[in-house]
Amino acid sequence: QAKRNGKNVFRFYQADMDEEIIARRAIGAELQVAVERGEFVLYFQPLVNAASKKIQGFEALVRWKHPTRGFVSPAEFIPIAEEIGAISSLGGWVIDEACRLAVTWPTPVPVAVNISPIQFRHSDLPQIVSDALRRHELPAHRLELELTESALLESTPATQKMLHRLGEIGVRLSLDDFGTGYSSLSYLRRISFHKIKIDQSFVRNLPEDERDMSIVRAIVDIATTMGVATIAEGVETEDQSRALLAQGCHQLQGYLFSKPVPAEDVPLLLAPGSVEMNVNAVA
Ligand code: C2E
Ligand code: MG
Ligand code: MG
Ligand code: MG
């Protein structure tokens, strides 16, 4: 009986895996054409000042409006886009679209864009960035590029040259998901980032978890000593917000303030007082 069950379980997983492989292939094939068909849209999530709660920027987060599947999460399709070599054209579109929209905002706050490690290694990022800035007349200091540690794993001369060219253009660099990689501190030593994004896994259990409190305090201290700003991701509660402010964190991002919103809602959020009102509504 047990053996038969075991076998059934195996067959079940096998069928599941096959289904997943087939689904991934289907998504991959559709991804190739989705950029040209204009099926992607950018959503924007506010980055707020930890003390005043005023909006100091937005992170652009890509969404796939699939004709039949509905909204597909980037967590699902970004890895597939990387696998099939579609990430550079998708990522190029994201940079261009973020610049195009940011110049229309009523307040000149920065826009942050996520850069895939593959895109970082396999496309001429400085050229793409400077073309987009010029095309939309967005000042370089209003564009922040969010890189993860995996983008920088090999500190090759090519990587260094790329970072140098981006620095010359004048865009800001943020280190995303900080603390989740293998050698977070070594990147801080080698590369001049403007901002560190403290991963939401360190934020989730604040303020009760004393270890996480210590880790956050240490990250903020190191960053501040180096003249690097800090932002905490995934802030969902007032208690987390208060704890992060007390640790000296500069900016906050999370559902407490706002979920990612469609582009047309950005001007509404930038209207005076709107995020403060939102916080009161949640509290
Ligand atoms: P990320 O860059 O770390 O972005 C933060 C993610 O956390 C976003 O998920 C955001 O919606 C979510 N988030 C924000 N506040 C909260 C909160 O309070 N609680 C919780 N539980 N989650 C929160 P999203 O939009 O699904 O994006 C997931 C990841 O996909 C991003 O992580 C980023 O790595 C990647 N991604 C998104 N857009 C792009 C893009 O245009 N290009 C590339 N290469 N990657 C992207
Ligand atoms: Mg990000
Ligand atoms: Mg992040
Ligand atoms: Mg994250």
Side-chain angles (χ1 to χ4, degrees):
Q1 180 71 31
K3 205 171 179 183
R4 218 176 71 214
N5 279 348
K7 205 169 176 187
N8 284 343
V9 166
F10 171 74
R11 291 167 67 113
F12 175 72
Y13 282 137
Q14 182 69 46
D16 243 25
M17 270 164 56
D18 289 348
E19 253 172 55
E20 188 177 330
I21 289 166
I22 289 163
R24 282 172 75 90
R25 281 208 193 118
I27 292 177
E30 291 167 340
L31 261 174
Q32 302 274 23
V33 287
V35 177
E36 289 124 75
R37 289 197 190 144
E39 290 175 5
F40 294 98
V41 285
L42 292 188
Y43 271 50
F44 294 90
Q45 188 178 35
L47 319 180
V48 310
N49 182 282
S52 70
K53 311 296 188 291
K54 289 221 159 59
I55 293 178
Q56 296 186 318
F58 285 89
E59 177 175 2
L61 294 157
V62 72
R63 301 285 180 263
W64 184 3
K65 260 184 172 165
H66 192 280
T68 55
R69 291 179 223 267
F71 272 95
V72 186
S73 152
E76 202 172 321
F77 68 79
I78 295 284
I80 301 176
E82 289 174 334
E83 225 168 88
I84 66 172
I87 192 66
S88 292
S89 62
L90 173 57
W93 176 84
V94 170
I95 292 169
D96 194 76
E97 182 71 357
C99 294
R100 182 182 78 80
L101 291 163
V103 289
T104 69
W105 296 347
T107 321
V109 294
V111 63
V113 170
N114 292 285
I115 305 296
S116 149
I118 312 279
Q119 181 188 4
F120 185 82
R121 268 175 252 146
H122 296 294
S123 68
D124 189 354
L125 196 59
Q127 189 66 52
I128 288 160
V129 163
S130 56
D131 284 351
L133 293 173
R134 192 171 324 112
R135 187 175 309 124
H136 302 291
E137 298 182 30
L138 184 75
H141 67 264
R142 286 190 59 198
L143 183 62
E144 298 179 355
L145 304 182
E146 296 194 0
L147 305 171
T148 55
E149 293 169 27
S150 47
L152 310 162
L153 268 185
E154 321 135 69
S155 176
T156 59
T159 308
Q160 292 299 332
K161 190 169 173 217
M162 178 103 87
L163 291 166
H164 182 76
R165 284 170 66 202
L166 290 169
E168 277 182 339
I169 293 168
V171 294
R172 309 277 164 107
L173 300 181
S174 299
L175 189 48
D176 206 352
D177 303 336
F178 185 81
T180 59
Y182 289 107
S183 50
S184 307
L185 292 178
S186 77
Y187 295 108
L188 288 189
R189 204 174 67 199
R190 292 204 312 262
I191 296 155
S192 14
F193 288 96
H194 297 85
K195 197 190 285 183
I196 286 171
K197 303 197 75 174
I198 302 171
D199 190 68
Q200 66 182 63
S201 57
F202 299 109
V203 172
R204 197 168 294 131
N205 300 318
L206 300 187
E208 289 82 13
D209 191 314
E210 286 172 22
R211 286 182 185 223
D212 286 349
M213 283 291 272
S214 307
I215 289 171
V216 167
R217 186 177 314 131
I219 295 174
V220 171
D221 283 352
I222 290 171
T224 307
T225 305
M226 297 176 78
V228 178
T230 48
I231 179 166
E233 301 186 291
V235 182
E236 294 182 351
T237 70
E238 280 289 354
D239 281 350
Q240 291 167 347
S241 167
R242 259 192 296 274
L244 288 157
L245 175 64
Q247 303 306 337
C249 199
H250 300 97
Q251 293 182 332
L252 308 173
Q253 174 180 8
Y255 297 164
L256 175 63
F257 308 103
S258 170
K259 294 205 165 180
V261 300
E264 57 265 31
D265 290 354
V266 168
L268 302 176
L269 287 175
L270 284 172
S274 93
V275 162
E276 292 92 313
M277 274 161 51
N278 198 358
V279 171
N280 289 336
V282 171

